[in-house]
């Protein structure tokens, strides 16, 4: 009998985060000040981030110690289980061994709490009283709301208006933790008022909500801004996922041939993949790392590797990353957490250097995989996580074709219990694939900033 579930004890929660920059052949390019075009120094970031996170953002140290208070809070739901998908393997009739790391057991329902807690911790420690952020479907908003509550910080969430109106449950979850949630674009900021003046019926976008949250934080001394993906320190905090998974696979006597995760801003992919990529970079281990994205927002597979803004109002530093252009409006797919025009500079550099792979899928094929997974393994994946499920199933089918036992590991980044309308749409046959417009993409890429 093979083991179904591999658990660790609390004592085996990692003591350090792993910083991939120490082992990258080409370190990432620095962020640039949007006004001067010069590399952004700590001074440029101080208005919105605490010093310790600025330090982590630029750090080249291989291991960064996790504060004891943060590890104590991680114990609420960590270590997370690693599960062998035996039922799915049987249904696929594949010789592959499929393992998933389940991050949906966090009280926020996804991996995002792994970084929300240290971010709230460092802000509190440096005397900040209030955090602002943006959220799309509400995964990040609910994580940071909870973390703020743990540390006694006020939390202000700018929620993309279309989600605010259509997805009330995560908003109510944020309210339950005491956060203030406003629909973005709002009348509270210059960025919001400018958008509303041009288009009173604007549905909002992540890029607009980021502009509002950054403006709010920059204007007040007691307030900082907090981002749930993309940045180096966020990817860093997520590496506890891969470190735990490595230890768990070791206990099962296995090592992965391929590691997959969904990729929006890149943080859950970085989290599970970087500790294995370390083995590839420093010991020459033969392991493939695959980022899975929606074909409606194909940042890595179709975007340009260039400096670009993180938001619509051009307030954030310029990041060297794969981008579809800061004005690109991805179509309204159900995996809201993957609808961002850019990607992590770390993930982007590694992809550019050929050290990781990327693949894109249409949403109907993604939901087909999600339902197949739920019917065999029981967990109903978040639409974002379902991209990794699709990728893992296709890897298992290729192993079957080749007649090879391959070990496949993927990150099940969150549960889909707040995404029932998406499942309803799929199950009723109404869900459609929404291709992005090739012309809109070309147009958007033609407006990348010149640096
Ligand atoms: C936000 C989110 C993602 C995408 O964000 P990354 O930073 O790319 O990880 C994936 N899965 C879930 C469940 C999410 O909430």
């Amino acid at each position: 009998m093979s083991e179904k579930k591999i658990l660790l004890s609390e004592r085996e929660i990692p003591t350090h985060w792993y910083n991939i920059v120490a082992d990258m052949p080409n370190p990432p390019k620095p962020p640039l000040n949007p006004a001067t075009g010069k590399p952004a120094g700590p001074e440029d970031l101080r208005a919105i981030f605490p010093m310790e996170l600025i330090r982590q953002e630029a750090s080249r140290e291989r291991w960064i110690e996790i504060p004891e208070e943060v590890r104590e809070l991680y114990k609420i739901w960590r270590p997370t289980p690693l599960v062998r998908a035996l039922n799915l393997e049987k249904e696929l009739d594949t010789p592959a061994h499929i393992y998933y790391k389940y991050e949906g057991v966090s009280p926020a329902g996804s991996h995002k709490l792994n970084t929300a807690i240290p971010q709230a911790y460092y802000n509190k420690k440096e005397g900040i009283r209030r955090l602002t952020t943006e959220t799309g479907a509400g995964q990040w908003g609910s994580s940071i709301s909870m973390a703020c509550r743990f540390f006694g910080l006020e939390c202000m969430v700018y929620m993309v208006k279309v989600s605010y109106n259509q997805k009330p449950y995560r908003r109510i979850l944020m309210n339950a933790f005491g956060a203030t949630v406003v629909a973005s674009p709002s009348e509270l900021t210059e960025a919001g008022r400018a958008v509303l003046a041009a288009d009173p019926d604007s549905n909002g976008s992540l890029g607009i909500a980021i502009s509002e949250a950054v403006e709010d934080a920059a204007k007040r001394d007691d307030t900082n801004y907090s981002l749930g993906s993309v940045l180096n320190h966020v990817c860093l905090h997520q590496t506890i996922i891969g470190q735990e998974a490595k230890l768990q696979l070791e206990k099962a006597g296995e090592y992965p041939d391929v590691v997959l995760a969904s990729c929006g801003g890149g943080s859950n992919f970085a989290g599970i993949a970087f500790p294995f990529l370390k083995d590839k970079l420093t010991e020459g281990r033969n392991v493939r790392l695959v980022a899975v994205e929606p074909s409606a927002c194909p940042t890595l597979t179709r975007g340009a590797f260039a400096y670009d803004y993180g938001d619509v109002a051009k307030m954030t530093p310029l990041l060297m990353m794969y981008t579809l252009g800061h004005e690109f409006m991805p179509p309204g797919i159900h995996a809201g957490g993957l609808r961002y025009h850019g990607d992590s500079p770390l993930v982007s550099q590694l992809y550019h250097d050929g050290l990781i792979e990327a693949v894109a899928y249409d949403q109907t094929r993604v939901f087909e995989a999600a339902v197949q997974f739920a019917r065999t393994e029981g967990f109903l994946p978040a639409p974002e996580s379902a991209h990794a499920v699709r990728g893992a199933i296709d890897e298992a089918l290729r192993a079957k074709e080749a007649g090879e036992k391959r070990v496949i590991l993927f990150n099940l980044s969150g549960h889909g219990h707040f995404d029932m309308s998406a499942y309803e749409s799929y199950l009723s046959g109404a869900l459609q694939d929404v291709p992005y417009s090739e012309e809109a993409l070309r147009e958007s890429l033609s407006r990348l900033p010149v640096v």
Side-chain angles (χ1 to χ4, degrees), residues 103-104 109-112 137-140 143 170 228-230 234-235 238 261-271 292 335-339 343-344 381-386 411-415 419:
E103 290 294 309
S110 79
H111 67 287
K112 291 205 171 74
Q139 293 267 23
W140 169 241
S143 293
R170 280 210 181 264
S229 185
V230 179
V234 181
C235 293
Q238 295 294 352
S262 65
C263 192
S267 74
N268 93 90
F269 170 77
V292 188
L338 306 183
R339 281 184 73 215
D343 215 318
S344 142
E384 292 84 1
S385 321
N411 199 17
L412 191 61
S413 51
H415 67 65
D419 301 284

Side-chain angles (χ1 to χ4, degrees), residues 167-354:
K167 303 191 170 173
Y169 296 130
R170 280 210 181 264
R171 160 162 57 91
I172 297 163
L173 185 61
M174 292 181 250
N175 292 145
F177 296 124
T180 306
V181 186
V182 296
S184 165
S186 77
E187 293 285 351
L188 302 177
T189 65
E190 276 170 42
R193 286 190 294 270
V195 173
L196 288 173
D199 176 11
D201 298 323
S202 167
N203 276 327
S205 73
L206 267 182
I208 295 169
I210 293 176
S211 299
E212 289 206 272
V214 168
E215 181 187 324
D216 180 332
K219 273 189 181 151
R220 283 178 57 163
D221 279 348
D222 67 345
T223 300
N224 269 345
Y225 167 72
S226 175
L227 188 62
S229 185
V230 179
L231 298 180
N232 300 354
H233 66 266
V234 181
C235 293
L236 174 78
H237 299 157
Q238 295 294 352
T239 58
I240 47 177
I241 303 172
Q243 291 186 66
E244 283 181 11
K246 212 157 134 180
L247 193 57
Q248 286 163 310
L249 280 176
E250 219 169 87
K251 291 189 189 216
E254 306 248 44
Y255 192 87
D257 294 293
V258 55
V259 179
L260 305 103
S262 65
C263 192
S267 74
N268 93 90
F269 170 77
I272 196 160
F274 285 1
F276 292 98
L277 184 53
K278 173 177 186 292
D279 297 347
K280 180 167 166 159
L281 295 173
T282 63
E283 296 164 23
R285 284 234 48 162
N286 195 8
V287 53
R288 295 171 50 221
L289 298 317
V290 183
V292 188
E293 58 185 20
S295 40
C297 189
T299 315
L300 290 173
T301 51
R302 306 299 295 274
F305 187 48
Y307 271 108
D308 196 9
Y309 300 99
D311 69 330
V312 170
K314 308 180 185 179
M315 285 164 58
T316 69
L318 293 162
L319 299 177
M320 184 68 181
M321 60 184 176
Y322 277 87
T323 177
L324 300 170
H326 57 277
E327 288 173 23
F328 185 73
M329 276 287 186
I333 53 166
H334 283 287
L338 306 183
R339 281 184 73 215
Y340 185 61
H341 68 271
D343 215 318
S344 142
L346 293 177
V347 171
S348 295
Q349 184 68 50
L350 291 162
Y351 182 66
H352 187 69
D353 290 341

